Amino acid sequence: MLLATEQPSLLHPDLDLLSTPDLIAALADDQFSALRAVQAAAPSLALAADLAVERLALGGRLVYLGAGTSGRLGVLDGVELLPTFSWPPERLVTLIAGGERAMFRAAEGAEDDEAAAVSDLERHNLNAADVLIALAASGTTPYVLSGTAYANRLGALSIGISNNPGSPLLRLAQVPVALDTGPEVISGSTRLKAGTAQKISLNTLSSAIMVRLHKVYGNLMVDLQVTNIKLRRRALSLTVLATGAAPEQAEDALNEARDQVKTAIVMLRLNLSAPAARAVLAEAGGSLRAALEGAGPV
């Protein structure tokens, strides 16, 4: 029996006969199913976020595991956490079947290598404190299933994201996230709306985790890593928005805070030096809100 993601779409059986404008419209319109699938999976994503935060708050790592398109999307989500939220690189592992070269050239046969998944996770010393995000559109990829089973044996938290409800990955993962996107407009091409749904769910899940870990104040990205001129301008703007200070004052505070936005905000709001501001933040468990309100860790 064909998986839902592999079944022929009934919407556009003559896709190749469409005019180019109609072809573009058909491909674009089909993507709306991806968003609806993520919205339907919201309760599972919320549970995944809450359970992940429990582990990560105690020092666990985020580990992404996938193959092909799913693996590349996992790597993309993971590597963006450093500049966006200053997530420590030593607390991030991104694994794709076939290794780093598979990011740039398809290595489809690698997804069948069950032993490689265990070997990859062993090499990175996966342990019970970690959070594994396992990705497979089909939910049947041997590399991903083997890695998820290994994570379960170690006591790590396993979150499985698949586009086929009832798939082996969703039955195996401790927190299953079913993204029911159905058949693709180009039959079987899960780089389309199945991939879009995975990208949205990863954005949603990792962002929610980072909010809960105090990387966001209000809706301001206050824990970004300033690594270029654009991000320096963004850090300055965020500091001004959070404090109401003049740009000149904010820039002085950022300089003293070594471009740490949270520290600069506490300095300006509480009239403290950079070392004192860092101490207040540490006492508040890294929560800018708690630091400003004097509430201690939250």
Side-chain angles (χ1 to χ4, degrees):
M1 181 177 178
L2 284 177
L3 298 168
T5 52
E6 305 294 332
Q7 293 177 4
S9 172
L10 302 178
L11 294 178
H12 302 288
D14 297 320
L15 189 72
D16 61 330
L17 299 179
L18 295 179
S19 68
T20 302
D22 287 343
L23 175 60
I24 295 296
L27 290 166
D29 288 347
D30 201 47
Q31 298 294 309
F32 285 104
S33 300
L35 178 57
R36 290 193 290 271
V38 176
Q39 289 172 326
S44 297
L45 288 168
L47 175 61
D50 283 340
L51 292 178
V53 166
E54 290 179 6
R55 307 272 181 128
L56 298 173
L58 296 175
R61 297 175 299 171
L62 271 172
V63 182
Y64 293 79
L65 183 77
T69 298
S70 298
R72 295 182 193 99
L73 290 170
V75 173
L76 178 62
D77 194 69
V79 299
E80 290 182 342
L81 297 180
L82 173 61
T84 308
F85 300 110
S86 293
W87 186 250
E90 66 273 14
R91 295 181 62 194
L92 173 70
V93 178
T94 55
L95 297 174
I96 180 171
E100 187 175 337
R101 66 183 178 86
M103 278 295 296
F104 308 100
R105 179 171 295 181
E108 301 301 337
E111 71 175 42
D112 297 326
D113 193 339
E114 297 180 357
V118 174
S119 176
D120 289 345
L121 291 169
E122 285 179 337
R123 188 174 71 255
H124 289 280
N125 300 309
L126 186 78
N127 61 74
D130 295 332
V131 176
L132 179 79
I133 300 177
L135 299 144
S138 68
T140 63
T141 306
Y143 177 88
V144 177
L145 294 178
S146 175
T148 303
Y150 177 71
N152 287 345
R153 291 196 297 273
L154 292 181
L157 174 66
S158 61
I159 299 167
I161 300 178
S162 168
N163 297 81
N164 284 297
S167 68
L169 177 59
L170 297 180
R171 294 195 298 270
L172 184 61
Q174 295 166 40
V175 185
V177 179
L179 304 173
D180 189 4
T181 47
E184 297 284 358
V185 67
I186 297 178
S187 300
S189 182
T190 52
R191 61 179 289 271
L192 297 175
K193 65 181 174 184
T196 300
Q198 288 186 359
K199 181 68 171 74
I200 297 172
S201 67
L202 286 170
N203 280 347
T204 302
L205 176 59
S206 61
S207 296
I209 289 170
M210 294 300 144
V211 171
R212 287 287 168 260
L213 291 174
H214 313 306
K215 303 290 188 178
V216 175
Y217 174 64
N219 65 349
L220 302 180
M221 188 175 70
V222 293
D223 223 357
L224 77 163
Q225 187 171 76
V226 178
T227 55
N228 58 35
I229 294 172
K230 177 190 71 176
L231 292 173
R232 172 70 183 193
R233 287 198 300 266
R234 188 171 297 166
L236 179 60
S237 175
L238 290 165
T239 304
V240 170
L241 284 169
T243 63
E248 296 79 10
Q249 291 176 295
E251 185 159 16
D252 288 343
L254 275 172
N255 287 334
E256 187 179 344
R258 298 198 296 272
D259 288 333
Q260 296 173 336
V261 175
K262 280 185 180 179
T263 302
I265 291 171
V266 173
M267 290 169 60
L268 291 165
R269 290 276 294 269
L270 301 183
N271 193 27
L272 297 173
S273 66
R278 289 191 190 96
V280 169
L281 277 166
E283 178 68 21
S287 169
L288 178 56
R289 185 173 297 279
L292 295 177
E293 295 176 356
V298 294

